[in-house]
Structure formats: C-alpha cells, structure tokens
Amino acid sequence: LAEFPYVNGRLFAEALPLAAFDAAMRKLLLDASALDWSRISPAIFGSMFQSVMDKVKRRNLGAHYTSEKNILKLVRGLFLDDLYAEFERVKNSAARLKAFHERIARLRFFDPACGCGNFLIITYREMRQLEIEILKQLQRLTGNQQLVTDISLISFIDVDSVYGIELEEFPARIAEVALWLVDHQMNMRLSAEFGQSYVRLPLRKTANIKHANALRLDWAAFVPRPAPAEETLFILGNPPFVGKSNQSDEQKADLQLVCGKLDGAGVLDFVCAWYVKAAEFMQGTRVKAAFVSTNSITQGEQVSALWSYLLDQQIKIH
C-alpha cells in the first residue's frame, strides 16, 4: 500500500463494507481492470447510470441523458465559440495571450440539475483543451522551454471551476469522480504535449457538486454571483422535463414555490422552474444561461405564462 500515492480529495472519506464477491464477479472486475480506460470518456457514466435506473423512477424524476454531440451544441453556442474567436484575435501577442489565459481561468460553470455531470465534464474537458492550445501557442511565441520547467505552474484551470446541484445522491457522487477522471485524462494530454509527466496528486481541489433540491436551494449561497461588469459565470444543463399531468405532489409543490408568482403557473412544465430561478439569479449580472428543454415551453399556453415573466425580468434571448 505504501507504493500507492496519497489521493485525498475526500474521495475515500466514507468507509464502505467490502462487497461479497463470487467467482463470476471477480472475473468481471479483472476484465474491467484490464481494459484501457484512457480511451473512454467519463461522460459515459451518465448513460450507464440512466440505463440501470428504474424506468418509472427515471420518468418521475424527468431524468434525460444528453449525448456529447448535443452537449457540445449548447456549450459552443453559450461560450466556447466566442472563446476560440477571441483566441484567434490574441494568439500572435504573448502579452494578450497570457491575459486571455488568466481570464479563462477565472470562468465558472454551473449546472443546477447536473445528474452524473455530463455537461460539466464536457465543459471542463473543452476548457482544458483550450488551455493546452494557449500554452502551445505561448511556447511558439516565446521560442524557449522555460514555460515547461514545471507543468503545475502553467495549468491554471482546475475542477473547482465547476458547480452542480443534483437531487439524487448517487449521480452526484458519480459526477465528482467523473470530473476527477477527466481532469486526469487532460493532465495526461498536457503531459504528452510538453514531455513531462503531470499527475495532480494528492487531490487538493474538488468539483463543487451539491446533493440538494435545486428549486429549494438559494443558488447565490452556493455559487458566488459575479460582479455586475464581469462575464465569468455560465449556467447550463438539462433540467427535468415532466409535463404538468405527470408531476408528483412534491414536484408540483417545488414548481409552485418558484413559479407561483407567475400568472397561469399551473400549466407550466417542470423545467420552467429552472428558467425562473436562473432569470432571478442573473439579475444585475452578465451571467448567461442555456438549457436543453422541451419545445412545449415555446408553444401554446405555456408561452404567455413563462415568457411574459422572463421578458419582464429584462432577460434577452441570444
């Protein structure tokens, strides 16, 4: 055991009983351990978790897995395309490139219905990849190797840049571990680019994943709201859909708590509560949000109930 590096990060904070194994389970574990996991995206955990959920429970929770392709559509439109456009504008100036690097290291990403963390995993991976492109370009501009005397000093982005809220405990824990896994994968990619082995152990920082009811939690008490002039926080995700006729009593109560002030709140899809919470959180800031949602919230009777309120809050649709 002394050969293993110290991990920390609260990953092993809870003592668990040993599983009762039989020969078949042992073989499955050995087969899984022999697999090259470096080629597998941690985003797959969300799909795996949904596949083993009870179908009735999955529907009741409104849990929907979003593919990586569709997550990237949202992430690119919300912030990533703009960041790469800025990178192209500043990449020929070392001073401007360093300032850009420092700016993206201050960005924060918040999924208030994070499930197994797929949106945060893909977002974090893409931000680390952008950082690698910045560091490679800085090396080209400076023409020396001083940049890589210690990789830990040049990589500014860490998993504490992401925030998530999840109602169910098990997917919340999966999200934490999956973010460490994608962090490790990106550290390996960074190591390959700069010819140094970089392992971020012991784990000193942890993704901010909270096991809680997002509709009853004060978001501002969990995620620091940026100053009015700062564009440093993005809200994203795939909140539960659940139409009005399928909502549980608890979901109806949560929706009423958040949207009771809206005229016609009784017709709203459950996802609308996240729009209202986001709109209120965003007041007086430059925070932007993007959610995957049912198209029913832009059709029929829900339109006047939801969008009249949002537009009154000075929310703009980009």
Side-chain angles (χ1 to χ4, degrees):
L1 285 176
E3 293 297 314
F4 286 91
Y6 181 54
V7 176
N8 197 24
R10 302 199 308 270
L11 184 59
F12 303 107
E14 183 181 355
L16 298 175
L18 292 175
F21 265 48
D22 58 21
M25 288 175 67
R26 177 180 180 274
K27 183 179 184 306
L28 287 170
L29 178 62
L30 291 173
D31 290 345
S33 300
L35 186 70
D36 180 4
W37 286 84
S38 66
R39 297 179 177 273
I40 296 176
S41 169
I44 199 173
F45 286 116
S47 176
M48 289 170 62
F49 178 69
Q50 188 179 20
S51 71
V52 300
M53 279 181 75
D54 176 82
K55 289 182 179 179
V56 174
K57 184 176 183 182
R58 186 167 71 207
R59 175 166 183 168
N60 291 343
L61 287 172
H64 297 272
Y65 172 74
T66 314
S67 69
E68 182 170 330
K69 179 181 177 181
N70 286 328
I71 292 172
L72 282 170
K73 282 183 186 177
L74 183 147
V75 167
R76 286 173 178 151
L78 181 60
F79 62 86
L80 195 61
D81 285 346
D82 289 341
L83 292 180
Y84 270 96
E86 186 173 349
F87 172 62
E88 289 297 319
R89 289 194 298 271
V90 304
K91 70 178 185 180
N92 293 319
S93 164
R96 293 176 69 194
L97 198 54
K98 287 176 182 176
F100 176 58
H101 186 193
E102 290 172 0
R103 185 174 88 75
I104 69 165
R106 293 194 296 271
L107 298 183
R108 297 293 178 264
F109 306 93
F110 172 36
D111 184 346
C114 71
C116 295
N118 282 13
F119 279 81
L120 299 176
I121 290 163
I122 301 301
T123 293
Y124 183 73
R125 184 195 70 194
E126 293 301 310
M127 291 303 297
R128 289 291 306 274
Q129 184 57 46
L130 175 57
E131 181 180 55
I132 289 172
E133 297 303 319
I134 291 169
L135 294 173
K136 286 162 61 178
Q137 181 64 12
L138 275 172
Q139 191 175 53
R140 292 188 197 104
L141 292 174
T142 56
N144 62 52
Q145 300 299 313
Q146 291 182 3
L147 186 67
V148 291
T149 52
D150 184 350
I151 291 181
S152 67
L153 299 178
I154 62 171
S155 180
F156 300 160
I157 301 174
D158 209 334
V159 290
D160 62 339
S161 61
V162 303
Y163 294 77
I165 304 172
E166 169 52 35
L167 182 65
E168 298 284 299
E169 183 177 12
F170 190 47
R173 300 290 81 85
I174 290 174
E176 286 181 348
V177 175
L179 279 155
W180 274 319
L181 287 173
V182 76
D183 181 60
H184 179 68
Q185 288 183 335
M186 297 313 296
N187 290 340
M188 294 303 95
R189 193 173 298 180
L190 189 64
S191 299
E193 291 288 353
F194 293 97
Q196 278 188 34
S197 177
Y198 176 40
V199 179
R200 209 183 323 241
L201 289 178
L203 297 170
R204 292 186 173 86
K205 295 183 178 178
T206 305
N208 302 285
I209 307 296
K210 193 170 188 67
H211 169 217
N213 183 335
L215 299 185
R216 294 185 176 271
L217 184 72
D218 177 7
W219 292 3
F222 173 54
V223 185
R225 293 171 85 246
E230 293 181 348
E231 192 170 332
T232 55
L233 178 64
F234 298 94
I235 303 173
L236 69 167
N238 179 4
F241 298 164
V242 198
K244 63 177 181 179
S245 59
N246 294 318
Q247 292 168 17
S248 67
D249 290 342
E250 184 180 356
Q251 288 167 336
K252 288 177 180 177
D254 288 346
L255 187 65
Q256 180 64 27
L257 177 69
V258 176
C259 300
K261 53 188 167 291
L262 280 65
D263 292 334
V267 305
L268 294 176
D269 190 328
F270 195 43
V271 73
C272 294
W274 275 261
Y275 278 82
V276 172
K277 288 274 286 188
E280 293 170 351
F281 177 87
M282 291 157 67
Q283 294 301 303
T285 73
R286 297 183 65 190
V287 174
K288 292 180 180 177
F291 292 134
V292 176
S293 308
T294 43
N295 57 18
S296 55
I297 69 169
T298 62
Q299 301 171 9
E301 59 187 354
Q302 294 197 54
V303 173
S304 61
L306 176 64
W307 294 100
S308 295
Y309 177 79
L310 294 183
L311 296 174
D312 283 345
Q313 303 305 304
Q314 306 303 309
I315 294 300
K316 175 184 175 183
I317 304 172
H318 291 271

